[in-house]
Amino acid sequence: MIRRDFSERDIHMALDGELPGDERAAYDAWLDANPEMKARSARFTADRTALRAAFAGVLDETVPVRLRKVVFGETPVKAAASRSRWWLAAAAAVLVVAGGVGGYFAGADGIGQESPAEDRLAEQAIAAHVVFATEKRHAVEVPASDKDHLQTWLSNRVGLKLVAPDLTANGFQLIGGRLLPAGESKAAMLLYEDDKGERISLFVTAESAENAKGTYASAQDGPQAVYWLDKGYGCAVVGTLPREQLAAVAKSAYGQLLAGLAS
């Protein structure tokens, strides 16, 4: 089996069918060992599916004569440049719509593309949830029974005053939490569970990026993250709940986190 270091470029090669066959087994093993990259691969796959669906009605259409003339240089340069700008604008609009299905975000104040900080935050939160939310005996490092120590410990490690939100009104009880790496910094993960065994997680890190909020899904049938970056927090609530329910939980957690920061 071929062994080498893989990167995001290899994810694109695999999706495009350009990854050498003798590297596939090592690539799949690399994905399994890197939940964040596996989530990113799932997101790219969802993006591709959404784009194909968005263009399904036109992909097999005959290319219009006027566009064929542009491609083969039969149209004056000035006219071609003007038409090209119009097409790029239209294509950008389609990409924003398709992106909303496949892993970009629709914030409460509008629609746009994720910045790298938001992208990274959501992917890290989903990757952590996938790994630890299914654990039975080792899901957390500090249990909810030692809540005061949990809050103090994570606050000191992350560098933010962290108060574990009370989500009982939303049907969830705190199980506990753990400390996680988050790029070059650290993140706190708080895990909650309802009476049916459904789990959600709260991923919090110090983040200096500009304010933002929205939703993110690494795959259409996988966990979603409702996230925000505000007042020094980077935070994401992750779960497989219906989007409206997950958004309600995130709103409650958001308010309590900010109140704890100000206290």
Side-chain angles (χ1 to χ4, degrees), residues 149-159 162 178-179 188 190:
H149 168 63
L150 173 67
Q151 293 178 145
T152 301
W153 173 58
L154 290 178
S155 295
N156 290 337
R157 295 296 185 272
V158 176
L162 182 63
R178 63 169 52 247
L179 185 68
L190 300 174

Side-chain angles (χ1 to χ4, degrees), residues 109-128:
D109 298 325
I111 296 176
Q113 291 183 318
E114 295 169 349
S115 74
E118 296 155 38
D119 190 0
R120 181 177 64 252
L121 171 68
E123 288 178 347
Q124 289 172 341
I126 290 175

Side-chain angles (χ1 to χ4, degrees), residues 76-90:
V77 174
K78 184 175 181 180
S82 176
R83 186 174 294 113
S84 177
R85 283 194 295 271
W86 174 88
W87 171 249
L88 287 174

